[in-house]
Amino acid sequence: FTGTGNIYPNGLGSELIGDTSFDDPSYWNYAGGDTVIEDGYAKIDTDGTSDLTYIQKAGILTIGDYYLLTYTAATTPSGTGTIVLEDTWGTTTNIPLNNTPGTYQFQYRAGEEDFTLKRLGVTKRWLSSISLKKVL
């Protein structure tokens, strides 16, 4: 209970991402390499180390608050790079995501207002679902 009349199970707020299954390319900001949102996937794909490659939803976080990120890595990764969660709180500003196929969950503290997943190195990764909820 938050005092607002809303009850949040498991101490989590409501879903912050409006396109959790990557069906609406217009919902996301994305750029670089061959990165696209299509057919139910976020396809983060780059063959060069200088590409600024990312998917992003601007302005959905509160700096200093905690969030629970759940995502599904849909394909076996290729390349030597990885995908990272950008600009988290503290001395580690980028958190590498587990990219082997499966569903993963972790809690982190936001260091900026934008939710951004970006590539680090040459990589090809596909995500098939994502969820982001504020930890109350």
Side-chain angles (χ1 to χ4, degrees), residues 17 22 25-31 35 37 42 44 53-60 86-87 112-118:
I17 294 178
F22 299 112
S26 67
Y27 177 81
W28 297 94
N29 300 321
Y30 57 94
T35 297
I37 306 293
I44 300 173
T53 305
Y54 64 89
I55 63 170
Q56 178 185 76
K57 188 60 185 169
I60 64 171
E86 183 180 62
D87 291 328
E112 70 168 37
E113 294 177 352
D114 300 336
F115 174 76
T116 305
L117 298 177
K118 69 177 184 178

Side-chain angles (χ1 to χ4, degrees), residues 1 5 9 16 18 21-22 27 34 40 46 54 57-58 63 67 88 119 129:
F1 185 73
L16 296 173
S21 57
F22 299 112
Y27 177 81
D34 292 323
T46 181
Y54 64 89
K57 188 60 185 169
I63 296 170
Y67 295 88
T88 59
R119 69 103 186 124
S129 67

Side-chain angles (χ1 to χ4, degrees), residues 7 9 22 40 42 73 86 91 102 106 120 130 133-134:
I7 297 174
F22 299 112
E86 183 180 62
T91 57
F106 68 92
L120 185 62
I130 195 161
K133 296 180 179 182
K134 185 175 180 177

Side-chain angles (χ1 to χ4, degrees), residues 48-106:
T49 57
S50 63
D51 292 340
L52 177 58
T53 305
Y54 64 89
I55 63 170
Q56 178 185 76
K57 188 60 185 169
I60 64 171
L61 305 175
T62 300
I63 296 170
D65 284 354
Y66 288 90
Y67 295 88
L68 181 67
L69 174 65
T70 305
Y71 67 95
T72 300
T75 59
T76 300
S78 64
T80 57
T82 189
I83 297 174
V84 297
L85 176 63
E86 183 180 62
D87 291 328
T88 59
W89 189 272
T91 57
T92 305
T93 59
N94 294 321
I95 298 174
L97 300 185
N98 190 331
N99 294 297
T100 56
T103 299
Y104 304 95
Q105 196 173 63
F106 68 92

Side-chain angles (χ1 to χ4, degrees), residues 1-21:
F1 185 73
T2 63
T4 62
N6 297 320
I7 297 174
Y8 294 99
N10 303 320
L12 300 174
S14 57
E15 180 61 55
L16 296 173
I17 294 178
D19 182 31
T20 59
S21 57

